[in-house]
């Protein structure tokens, strides 16, 4: 992908045409690379130490997110937070976050499409009706009795 840079060093994303026909300009993307302060980048040893520290902190945050995936908690949110920490230093993490942001934006745009919204509402309604029918059959057959017996 070829893009020009503006005076701030940000990448200027070309204007796109939405499905509605209107022109929109996407926000500029930041340049790839380390976002460490200048005095840290000046020393190779200090910069390497900084990168190791960022990697360890990001790894800890991603690890907590992975642990929270099967448990109650915001696992994916924490994992993306760890990826954002990594993205302050590592180009590969910046590219992963750009790809993820692009896919989430596409999914949000697709979800706002009237046809997709109508389909989702219909599927949700059908699912709720099926659940209500199953609950009604259960109550008709067994009454309001729990399916397990608790001896008191």
């Amino acid at each position: 992908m070829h893009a020009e840079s503006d005076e701030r060093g940000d990448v200027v994303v070309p204007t796109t045409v939405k499905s509605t026909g209107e022109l929109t300009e996407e926000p500029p993307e930041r340049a790839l690379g380390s976002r460490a302060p200048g005095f840290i980048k000046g020393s190779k040893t200090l910069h390497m130490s900084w990168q190791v520290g960022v990697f360890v902190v990001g790894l800890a945050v991603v690890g907590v997110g992975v642990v929270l995936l099967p448990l109650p908690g915001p696992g994916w949110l924490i994992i993306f937070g760890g990826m954002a920490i990594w993205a302050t230093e590592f180009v590969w993490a910046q590219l992963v976050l750009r790809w993820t942001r692009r896919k989430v934006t596409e999914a949000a745009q697709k979800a706002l499409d009237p046809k997709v919204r109508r389909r989702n509402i219909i599927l949700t309604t059908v699912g709720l009706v099926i659940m209500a029918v199953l609950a009604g059959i259960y109550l008709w057959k067994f009454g309001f009795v729990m399916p397990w017996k608790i001896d008191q």
Side-chain angles (χ1 to χ4, degrees):
M1 179 170 136
H2 300 289
E4 298 177 20
S5 296
D6 65 2
E7 62 276 354
R8 294 175 307 217
D10 293 338
V11 176
V12 177
V13 179
T15 304
T16 58
V17 178
K18 287 179 136 181
S19 60
T20 59
E22 64 185 62
L23 294 175
T24 60
E25 185 172 319
E26 297 175 10
E29 294 179 344
R30 293 182 73 172
L32 296 174
S34 175
R35 294 191 179 103
F39 72 94
I40 290 177
K41 289 181 186 178
S43 169
K44 186 169 178 71
T45 306
L46 192 56
H47 191 237
M48 183 62 70
S49 300
W50 178 270
Q51 285 184 328
V52 168
V54 167
F55 183 79
V56 169
V57 170
L59 185 63
V61 171
V62 169
V64 168
V66 168
V67 168
L68 286 178
L69 282 176
L71 301 173
W76 283 110
L77 185 64
I78 293 174
I79 289 172
F80 288 127
M83 288 295 296
I85 291 171
W86 279 338
T88 62
E89 275 306 304
F90 304 107
V91 173
W92 61 267
Q94 293 168 2
L95 294 174
V96 168
L97 282 180
R98 281 185 183 179
W99 179 84
T100 304
R101 187 178 299 126
R102 188 172 54 246
K103 291 299 178 183
V104 167
T105 303
E106 289 173 8
Q109 290 295 334
K110 186 182 268 189
L112 292 175
D113 182 28
K115 290 179 183 177
V116 175
R117 286 186 69 205
R118 192 174 317 121
R119 183 200 65 199
N120 289 344
I121 290 171
I122 290 170
L123 288 175
T124 301
T125 304
V126 168
L128 288 173
V129 167
I130 290 171
M131 287 174 51
V133 167
L134 291 175
I137 291 171
Y138 176 83
L139 290 173
W140 174 68
K141 205 162 181 141
F142 299 107
F144 193 69
V145 178
M146 294 298 168
W148 56 85
K149 293 185 179 190
I150 301 175
D151 296 327
Q152 295 180 348

